[in-house]
Amino acid sequence: QVQLVESGGASVQAGGSLRLSCAVFGYTYSPYCMGWFRRAPGKEREGVAAIDSGGRTSYADSVQGRFTISRDNAKNTLYLQMNSLKPEDTAMYYCAANSFFGGHCSRDSYFPYWGQGTQVTVSL
């Protein structure tokens, strides 16, 4: 049974930083494509960033230059470093993964496995 568990969410002031982690359980091999998504109350889900097994990344324009996605394949852990946080970054953050090796990996990819989310709140 594949399970993704996010951690690291917190309440911080604008301009602060957080690092989110996503631990992956139940995989025989490391996932191919992984991503971070977020959903704020009253808004649709937004793809924040994605990374494939080779380390290639993509980001939403809204976080470009402030957030960094990375992964440790040996530890089966995904990370999202968030710097210069803004109130509009406030959302529930989810990690996701797939095993479609060799396919296109982006924030628009299909992800059958999802975590339950970790809350990030950024105050003025």
Side-chain angles (χ1 to χ4, degrees), residues 47-70:
V48 175
I51 183 169
D52 70 12
S53 62
R56 289 172 292 184
T57 61
S58 64
Y59 297 91
D61 290 343
S62 58
V63 307
Q64 184 73 47
R66 299 188 297 118
F67 291 11
T68 302
I69 188 171
S70 62

Side-chain angles (χ1 to χ4, degrees), residues 32-100:
Y32 171 65
C33 183
M34 303 188 72
W36 285 100
F37 298 79
R38 66 187 182 185
R39 192 181 192 281
K43 299 178 64 177
E44 294 186 351
R45 188 183 69 192
E46 176 186 20
V48 175
I51 183 169
D52 70 12
S53 62
R56 289 172 292 184
T57 61
S58 64
Y59 297 91
D61 290 343
S62 58
V63 307
Q64 184 73 47
R66 299 188 297 118
F67 291 11
T68 302
I69 188 171
S70 62
R71 61 191 288 173
D72 186 331
N73 292 331
K75 296 181 179 179
N76 263 356
T77 303
L78 177 73
Y79 303 98
L80 184 68
Q81 179 66 47
M82 304 184 294
N83 299 325
S84 301
L85 283 162
K86 305 174 180 179
E88 49 262 46
D89 295 319
T90 295
M92 184 73 76
Y93 283 72
Y94 302 87
C95 64
N98 72 37
S99 300
F100 306 133

